[in-house]
Amino acid sequence: MEPNKISGILSIILGLIFIIFPIFSTAALSILIGVSLIFFGIALVLSGFTALNIVIGVLTILVGLVFAFNIQALSVLFALQFYVIGILMIIAGIIGIFSDSKISKIASVLMIILGIISFALGGFSIAQPIFAAVLIGVALIIQGIRLYLE
């Protein structure tokens, strides 16, 4: 079997696990990210005793501890991503409306609407960590299908 098909199947299975067991999946992912960041921070501190390595290493270890012991941190990170995307889409839509470029005014209004929807998704993600897990699961399933069909 081709590597893409195997990756696709594994991605679909992982996506289903995220949807079926969202709390467990979110906790496991948050702990995995936290432990990875802790090890990365330790490696940074030990790799060279420069001030920058030590500062970034210590900050990375602190962020890793937050992820390892707080499941909500993943939801906040996910929400932050939605907020940044929403702001960029709203700004792009406003620029499109007021510019004389060939960008359609309807497309610009749709961009603003999608930016507002992105903001709402960020709010849902902060309010419910389960929401982030379900979105990750859906994204993994879509990616798995794409990989399998390649």
Side-chain angles (χ1 to χ4, degrees):
M1 192 180 271
E2 295 177 30
N4 279 353
K5 292 194 184 291
I6 293 171
S7 296
I9 291 169
L10 291 175
S11 183
I12 291 169
I13 291 169
L14 189 59
L16 289 172
I17 290 171
F18 264 88
I19 292 173
I20 295 169
F21 305 108
I23 294 173
F24 169 76
S25 301
T26 304
L29 184 61
S30 187
I31 291 169
L32 182 65
I33 290 171
V35 170
S36 298
L37 286 172
I38 291 168
F39 283 131
F40 181 64
I42 291 170
L44 274 174
V45 169
L46 297 177
S47 69
F49 291 108
T50 65
L52 184 62
N53 277 0
I54 292 173
V55 169
I56 293 175
V58 169
L59 288 175
T60 304
I61 291 169
L62 291 175
V63 171
L65 289 170
V66 169
F67 273 99
F69 294 109
N70 186 359
I71 207 174
Q72 189 73 16
L74 185 64
S75 296
V76 171
L77 184 65
F78 209 61
L80 181 64
Q81 177 183 353
F82 275 120
Y83 290 144
V84 169
I85 290 170
I87 289 169
L88 293 175
M89 291 179 84
I90 290 169
I91 290 170
I94 291 170
I95 290 171
I97 287 175
F98 292 110
S99 72
D100 290 333
S101 69
K102 298 191 187 262
I103 297 175
S104 166
K105 302 299 180 195
I106 294 172
S108 297
V109 170
L110 288 175
M111 188 85 92
I112 292 171
I113 292 170
L114 288 174
I116 293 168
I117 291 171
S118 180
F119 250 84
L121 290 174
F124 289 140
S125 182
I126 285 181
Q128 291 291 328
I130 293 172
F131 182 75
V134 171
L135 283 179
I136 291 170
V138 170
L140 283 168
I141 291 171
I142 292 169
Q143 178 70 12
I145 292 170
R146 187 191 67 77
L147 284 171
Y148 187 80
L149 295 177
E150 278 186 349

